[in-house]
Structure formats: structure tokens, C-alpha cells
Amino acid sequence: MQSLRERSEVRPRAGWMVMGKRGRPSALEVCRVLAVFLSLFPSVSLQCKILKCNSEFWASTSNSGPEEEFCTALRAYNSCVRRTARTCRGDLAYHSAQHGIEDLMSQHNCSKEGPTSQPRARTPLPPPPPPLLPDSQQRSDGPELCHYERSLPRNTSPPNYTHCGFFGDPHLRTFGDDFQTCKVEGAWPLIHNKYLSVQVTNTPVVPGSLATATSKLTIIFKNFQECVDQKMYHAETDELPAAFADGSKNGGDRHGANTLRVVEKVPGQHVEIQARYIGTTIVVRQVGRYLTFAVRMPEEVVNSVEEGDNQDLYLCLHGCPANQRIDFRNFEARAAEAHSASRTRSSSGAHGFTYQSAKAKCKERLPVEDLYFQSCVFDLLSSGDINFTMAAYYALEDVKMLHSNSKRYHIFEKDEKNAAQGGRDLLSLFLLNLLTVLLWIGCCTVHL
């Protein structure tokens, strides 16, 4: 039996497709997904003009027509998207459209050379009726290759699972267990590999402050062999759906569709997405007005990078860029000093919390003074939003559910200091050994 890595080498490129009749994507279904996806990114439509390209292509392919006419519309769509390259190159929607065009050209045997006349608008067909077959609960889980652990070769060691979390103001716990506090206002990618992409959008919590929190989250699960169709999940403030963007709750019409499903734990507050075909579990919550994200993923999937793809900007893998990080420990130290200097006046912070009252409130839910506790204190001082207490609490609860090493549930400041000191010690040892070698070479040269 092939491993996930072996199968990923022989499978077709993970593309942008929705399966239709006989496993081939319907242009109508493809365009629907494009329309839904791009309508969720208003900034894209303003800056990249992707929405205009999409609407023209949608108008030309709403009704079935000759294959040659479809190819003409597809080439026109390709030309339109290429004209947006300068303003959209770093946007997830732009790259999704690129992959979609490439896949559709291949599946419909369209030549890249040919007429690209503007498509003729047509009256769109009404949406198709819902399928008669019930959703995932009555389908088989599919073949073994659609179950990550079952698909691994026998007598191999169990996979090593890693965890990434993103919550609060916002705080990031990377796959490598680094804990950071970041600014990252606007849209940022958390994860991007051969199997899925995750992007968050962060907005300011308080006008004029560096504090931001997640107001939107988009997850794209790419189609995978005979297991699942491509699916998109999108959540934003006050809208935490219990289904994918197309209304389904599983991975489509394939035999292994049930290995990808959305499970609503608490309506409007807590959703879990299970992707067993890649051994991945994702938890999305709304706490107060903002979203939290947590994932459990095998190392093999984490490191399944597309060839030539630059991973430096994906936060869960490498953390926030240095110029986007906030040292909340210094912030707390200044707050503690300010509290000590003004306690005779019993003054509160700018947002209603003093350093001591913030600590007392966080202590109610987070008795262990680890970095989750400290992030809670930071969030209360910087925003005054008491809901951030629960965001830190649930982030730690998700760690306990998703992290594979119980000894690493809590992260302490001393852990990071020790890690930094360890790095300095290794560097010192290296330099000492290098100096010894140079002195030895020098002595040998003198004797000769």
C-alpha cells in the first residue's frame, strides 16, 4: 500500500475543480464555486478586478453549449485574469483562478491559442435541485487510501502529529511550538500545502491600536484522488456555518466523501472539520466578535510543499515576520510599572483594566501562569474586551484536544528563554571548537 507521500507523487496536480458527471467538472458548478469564493473577498474585486473576470465567464457558461464555445470563453477568462497579475499576484483568489483555468483547459482539451472574443451574455439557468442522496451520514467512508493512517505502509511508526493555533489579539502557536504575538492586519495565509490552504483576515480591535483579531477565515480543501472534491469553508464574525460554501457537509459525491466533513459542535460558536484522508482536524470557534483557529496535522502533510512554492509567509510554519511581532512581555512589564506608580490613585488602564485586575480576571479561567495566561492579560490591557479571556481559555482547551504531547500543553516564558540560551550555547561551543582547530593548524604550521 502506498503512503501519502508516494501517492502524492503520482496523483494529478491538486487543482481547482468540482466534479460533475462521470467525474468531469461541470462548468456551471465550477463557476458557482468561483462566484461564491470571489464574492467573499470584496477587496479583491476592488483591487484585482477578479470579480469582473469571473462574472464575464459566468455569463458565458451558465448554459451548456458547444465545447468550442466553452474553450473560447475560457481563453477570454484566462486573458482577463492575466491582466490582473500585477495587483493580485499575492492573493489567494487570484491563484485559485489560475489553477482553475489550467485544470479546465486540460479537462476540456482546450488549446491556449485561439479566439478570445468576449463571451455573449446569457440568461443563467436556475440552480439545480438538491441531490436525492442524503449527505455524508449514509455514505461509506470509502477505500483505505481515503484514511490517512490506514493508508500508511504496515510496520511503520505512527505518524507524528503537530499543532498550530491562532487566537486573540492575535497570538500564534506554530507547528514548532513557537509562541508569538503579532500585528498582521489584513489577509494573511496560515497554511498552504498540496492538500489545503488557510487564510485569515485580521481587523483592528480598537481604532488607533496595534491590536487586531481575526474576523474572517477561509479554508480550501483541494480535490484528492477518488476521495474528495475541492471544498471551501468560509466563516466570519456572526457567521460560523455548519457546512461548506456550497451547502454540503462532506467531501462531495465520491466514494470517500465522508472522510471530509463539517461537524457543528455548538451552533454559531464551535465547528470542527474532520479531514481523515489527510489525518487532519480543524477547530474553528467564535468567541465574542472574533474567530479562533486550531489544527492537528501530520508532519508529512505540513511539509507537503508545492514545488517552487515559497513558504516563508505561511504563519503556522515559520511564524509571523519579524516586523509584525509584538513583545507583549515588555508591554506587561510597562503596565505593571504603571500600576505600581499609580496604585495610590487607584486608576484603571485606558480600557478599564489595571495590570492586577487583568491578572485576576485571567486567573479565573487560566490558573497556570503560562503564555496563554500572559496573552490573556495582554489582550485585556490592550483592548478591554473581556471575551479575550475565553479566547485564551478555549485555545488552551484545543491544545489539550489536538496536541500529541501532553507535556507541551503549557508553554512558559522560561521555555523560550531556555531555547534561546541553548542556541547561544551551541553557537559558543561551535566558535570554541573552531578556535581550537585554528590554533592547532597554526601550531602545526609553525613546527613545519
Side-chain angles (χ1 to χ4, degrees):
M1 185 179 299
Q2 293 177 311
S3 69
L4 182 64
R5 183 177 292 107
E6 290 169 336
R7 286 186 276 112
S8 68
E9 291 175 353
V10 299
R11 71 181 181 88
R13 179 179 179 181
W16 189 100
M17 62 168 62
V18 179
M19 299 306 291
K21 186 177 180 182
R22 296 182 182 177
R24 295 184 63 188
S26 158
L28 183 65
E29 292 170 338
V30 170
C31 295
R32 274 195 182 132
V33 173
L34 260 177
V36 171
F37 179 77
L38 295 170
S39 67
L40 296 172
F41 290 88
S43 62
V44 172
S45 64
L46 293 174
Q47 298 174 7
C48 307
K49 308 300 182 184
I50 284 287
L51 189 58
K52 180 177 182 294
C53 300
N54 174 65
S55 61
E56 291 177 350
F57 183 61
W58 165 250
S60 68
T61 56
S62 294
N63 295 327
S64 58
E67 195 82 358
E68 183 177 336
E69 186 175 337
F70 177 83
C71 291
T72 299
L74 191 58
R75 283 191 292 268
Y77 182 43
N78 186 40
S79 297
C80 185
V81 170
R82 290 176 62 183
R83 288 194 295 271
T84 70
R86 178 174 298 178
T87 56
C88 306
R89 187 170 299 277
D91 194 278
L92 191 60
Y94 168 75
H95 291 289
S96 180
Q98 276 191 317
H99 289 312
I101 292 169
E102 183 178 331
D103 286 340
L104 286 176
M105 281 191 168
S106 174
Q107 293 154 26
H108 289 265
N109 296 319
C110 297
S111 171
K112 293 184 178 180
E113 303 296 330
T116 58
S117 59
Q118 290 298 319
R120 299 188 301 273
R122 296 182 179 145
T123 303
L125 287 178
L132 297 177
L133 184 64
D135 209 354
S136 62
Q137 307 332 1
Q138 298 188 20
R139 290 198 182 101
S140 165
D141 278 356
E144 286 192 349
L145 69 87
C146 296
H147 292 263
Y148 178 74
E149 291 195 8
R150 293 185 201 170
S151 69
L152 298 175
R154 295 187 179 182
N155 302 322
T156 59
S157 57
N160 182 32
Y161 289 95
T162 59
H163 163 75
C164 176
F166 197 70
F167 68 96
D169 197 6
H171 308 284
L172 170 70
R173 180 169 180 162
T174 70
F175 285 126
D177 285 335
D178 291 329
F179 197 98
Q180 302 169 0
T181 298
C182 314
K183 297 182 247 183
V184 290
E185 182 177 349
W188 287 79
L190 284 182
I191 301 171
H192 184 76
N193 56 45
K194 291 181 179 180
Y195 307 102
L196 81 164
S197 298
V198 181
Q199 180 171 290
V200 293
T201 299
N202 301 311
T203 53
V205 175
V206 179
S209 170
L210 294 178
T212 65
T214 301
S215 58
K216 292 182 182 180
L217 171 74
T218 301
I219 308 171
I220 295 178
F221 295 90
K222 303 175 184 179
N223 64 289
F224 181 75
Q225 295 187 10
E226 60 261 48
C227 301
V228 299
D229 297 332
Q230 176 161 301
K231 293 288 178 177
M232 183 183 72
Y233 181 83
H234 180 83
E236 54 186 280
T237 299
D238 297 328
E239 188 177 344
L240 191 66
F244 293 109
D246 62 2
S248 66
K249 293 189 177 183
N250 74 344
D253 295 323
R254 307 190 196 182
H255 189 38
N258 199 38
T259 60
L260 173 62
R261 59 184 187 142
V262 180
V263 180
E264 187 177 55
K265 297 293 187 177
V266 181
Q269 298 180 32
H270 180 190
V271 166
E272 185 175 301
I273 304 176
Q274 301 166 355
R276 288 197 293 269
Y277 67 102
I278 51 174
T280 296
T281 300
I282 294 175
V283 175
V284 183
R285 300 178 186 267
Q286 176 166 333
V287 185
R289 297 187 59 252
Y290 301 104
L291 305 176
T292 71
F293 170 86
V295 62
R296 180 180 189 257
M297 184 180 293
E299 269 190 351
E300 182 183 13
V301 177
V302 170
N303 296 319
S304 61
V305 180
E306 293 279 8
E307 185 177 351
D309 193 5
N310 184 357
Q311 295 287 302
D312 289 346
L313 285 179
Y314 302 120
L315 307 187
C316 278
L317 194 60
H318 290 301
C320 301
N323 63 353
Q324 293 291 320
R325 297 181 190 178
I326 301 173
D327 189 348
F328 71 79
R329 301 165 190 81
N330 286 341
F331 181 91
E332 287 184 358
R334 291 195 300 271
E337 291 174 3
H339 169 76
S340 177
S342 62
R343 60 186 174 183
T344 56
R345 299 191 300 270
S346 301
S347 62
S348 295
H351 302 293
F353 280 96
T354 65
Y355 180 66
Q356 291 302 325
S357 65
K359 286 185 66 176
K361 177 55 67 175
C362 293
K363 200 79 170 179
E364 293 175 7
R365 288 287 180 176
L366 300 159
V368 179
E369 295 194 16
D370 59 0
L371 290 180
Y372 288 91
F373 172 84
Q374 293 185 28
S375 69
C376 171
V377 174
F378 171 81
D379 290 352
L380 292 185
L381 291 174
S382 61
S383 71
D385 188 345
I386 199 170
N387 290 300
F388 283 125
T389 304
M390 296 304 297
Y393 168 76
Y394 283 125
L396 182 58
E397 290 300 300
D398 290 337
V399 168
K400 293 176 181 178
M401 179 179 68
L402 300 174
H403 204 289
S404 58
N405 185 352
S406 61
K407 296 180 180 179
R408 295 293 294 167
Y409 290 169
H410 298 282
I411 299 180
F412 297 91
E413 186 176 357
K414 63 183 181 182
D415 295 339
E416 295 196 343
K417 286 182 177 178
N418 289 341
Q421 183 61 44
R424 288 192 291 268
D425 290 344
L426 286 175
L427 179 60
S428 299
L429 182 60
F430 170 77
L431 293 174
L432 181 61
N433 289 337
L434 179 61
L435 180 60
T436 303
V437 171
L438 291 175
L439 288 174
W440 181 80
I441 293 175
C443 290
C444 291
T445 303
V446 171
H447 286 301
L448 290 174

